[in-house]
Amino acid sequence: KRGGPSIMASSSASDGHVTVSVEPLVADGAHEVQQIMAAQDQLMQQQDQQLDGISRSLGTMKNLGLQIRGELDMQNSLLTDIDQGIDRTTGELRSARARMTKLLQRSKDCKWIIAILVLVGVVIFLLSWVFRDGA
């Protein structure tokens, strides 16, 4: 079978001119179809290989994502435990501070009582000393 004309172009490096020739295209239709099919099969195989590579990459990314999620869940749990511990400790420190404040207040009151008792003792001693000497 004969097809349409084929255009062939060639150039001469020495003079820079382009020569164009027109030749009839002779091709066997079945052979040409087989070549096209073979090229399409090769292209599909390449695409399948590329898709397999993409699929493996996505699988790896999925696994990494799951590992990151697990790590984040564990870290979140640890942070929650730390937060609860800090809240407990803060409450205990407030309670201890309130007890210390009360204790300091009592010790101030106690200092005044001791000072008064000492002064009363001194007054009694002085009075007894004065009345002993005067009697």
Side-chain angles (χ1 to χ4, degrees):
K1 291 184 177 182
R2 291 185 171 250
S6 167
I7 300 175
M8 303 283 291
S10 63
S11 67
S12 172
S14 62
D15 63 3
H17 288 84
V18 175
T19 306
V20 177
S21 64
V22 178
E23 298 177 13
L25 180 63
V26 179
D28 181 22
H31 180 67
E32 188 175 295
V33 169
Q34 287 177 347
Q35 286 179 339
I36 291 172
M37 298 278 289
Q40 286 178 339
D41 284 343
Q42 184 180 6
L43 181 62
M44 287 174 42
Q45 286 176 357
Q46 289 174 350
Q47 289 174 344
D48 285 344
Q49 290 173 353
Q50 290 171 346
L51 288 174
D52 288 343
I54 291 171
S55 177
R56 282 191 301 273
S57 294
L58 288 174
T60 302
M61 289 172 62
K62 177 185 175 187
N63 289 335
L64 286 174
L66 292 174
Q67 288 175 357
I68 290 170
R69 180 181 177 191
E71 184 69 25
L72 288 174
D73 288 344
M74 185 178 66
Q75 294 291 330
N76 189 38
S77 175
L78 291 173
L79 288 173
T80 299
D81 290 346
I82 290 171
D83 189 43
Q84 290 171 351
I86 288 172
D87 289 343
R88 255 191 326 274
T89 303
T90 301
E92 291 171 0
L93 285 173
R94 285 182 182 152
S95 176
R97 184 175 180 185
R99 286 191 305 246
M100 287 295 290
T101 302
K102 287 180 184 177
L103 181 63
L104 287 173
Q105 189 64 32
R106 287 182 190 163
S107 69
K108 286 180 184 178
D109 293 343
C110 189
K111 287 178 186 177
W112 284 109
I113 291 172
I114 291 172
I116 290 171
L117 289 175
V118 168
L119 289 175
V120 168
V122 168
V123 168
I124 291 173
F125 174 74
L126 289 176
L127 286 175
S128 67
W129 184 66
V130 169
F131 286 116
R132 204 184 284 184
D133 286 340

